[in-house]
Amino acid sequence: MYVPKESQPKQGGTAAKARDGEKGGKRKIVAQNKKARHDYAIVDTYEAGIVLMGTEVKSLREGRTSLTDGFVQIDGGEAWLHNAHIPEYHQGSWTNHSARRKRKLLLHREEIDKLAATSQETGHTIVPLALYFRDGRAKAEIALARGKKEYDKRQTLREQQDRRESDRVIAAAKRKQRAV
């Protein structure tokens, strides 16, 4: 049976986004900052666009980037990502970028004002959590965070270990139940 192209369902678009279960489509994560989740208690998270050069985008797509030393600073009403290491593109020429240059983050004015006001409080900072692509555009997940004390870090590790141990016991019990 012949079905004209106009009446065939289109691939992608809003139907695909609805299937993904997320507004804005899927995220292809390039880099994560696991150390930030260990060192800081996350208060609030934001998604920000990043202003990048062409060679930076190509290098990001190769997935060789690091956020471990990165931080966000508000200067002159603009958010800037510092110390995020995006290595030089190996096929780049004289147009290549420097690996640790500061990069502008794209946020709404209200978000920048809120981040600036809250980061001035004692113990609060803004850290990058992840770099990813959403619908072909580079995005950064940044978080307003409060520094953890050493005993808080130990407590978090203990909770994770207890959770893993209980999951193992539950999985072993389920396996044993299936075998019977």
Side-chain angles (χ1 to χ4, degrees):
M1 177 171 133
Y2 174 75
V3 179
K5 274 193 173 182
E6 297 83 37
S7 63
Q8 292 178 355
K10 292 183 180 179
Q11 298 298 319
T14 56
K17 290 178 187 175
R19 281 193 308 263
D20 291 340
E22 262 185 56
K23 182 181 175 188
K26 283 194 174 182
R27 294 179 1 165
K28 181 186 174 221
I29 295 180
V30 177
Q32 284 188 322
N33 190 355
K34 294 180 182 177
K35 187 178 180 189
R37 293 193 186 273
H38 178 263
D39 292 341
Y40 299 99
I42 307 301
V43 176
D44 202 5
T45 60
Y46 299 90
E47 180 181 66
I50 314 172
V51 177
L52 297 173
M53 297 173 62
T55 54
E56 287 175 318
V57 175
K58 291 178 180 185
S59 185
L60 270 180
R61 290 194 190 281
E62 290 179 347
R64 302 176 305 130
T65 186
S66 172
L67 292 173
T68 16
D69 300 330
F71 63 95
V72 177
Q73 197 171 33
I74 310 287
D75 289 331
E78 295 178 338
W80 295 89
L81 177 63
H82 294 268
N83 280 353
H85 184 264
I86 300 176
E88 290 184 353
Y89 184 57
H90 66 277
Q91 292 179 349
S93 59
W94 59 274
T95 60
N96 236 336
H97 62 279
S98 64
R100 290 206 182 263
R101 74 177 188 93
K102 68 179 191 176
R103 294 161 180 95
K104 187 175 178 179
L105 296 176
L106 306 173
L107 291 163
H108 291 284
R109 171 63 45 211
E110 302 84 39
E111 293 173 334
I112 293 174
D113 293 340
K114 183 179 177 185
L115 284 170
T118 315
S119 66
Q120 295 299 323
E121 295 176 16
T122 309
H124 284 82
T125 186
I126 309 167
V127 292
L129 296 178
L131 285 178
Y132 55 90
F133 284 100
R134 172 171 284 162
D135 295 331
R137 297 176 193 262
K139 304 282 184 180
E141 181 180 17
I142 61 172
L144 180 64
R146 187 177 54 251
K148 283 185 183 177
K149 303 286 185 199
E150 194 64 35
Y151 57 84
D152 290 334
K153 294 178 189 178
R154 285 195 299 267
Q155 178 67 27
T156 305
L157 288 173
R158 196 172 305 120
E159 288 171 0
Q160 288 175 351
Q161 185 178 6
D162 291 344
R163 195 175 318 116
R164 264 191 240 114
E165 194 173 311
S166 66
D167 288 345
R168 272 192 222 114
V169 170
I170 291 170
K174 285 183 179 178
R175 277 194 303 268
K176 191 175 183 181
Q177 190 178 32
R178 274 189 253 142
V180 172

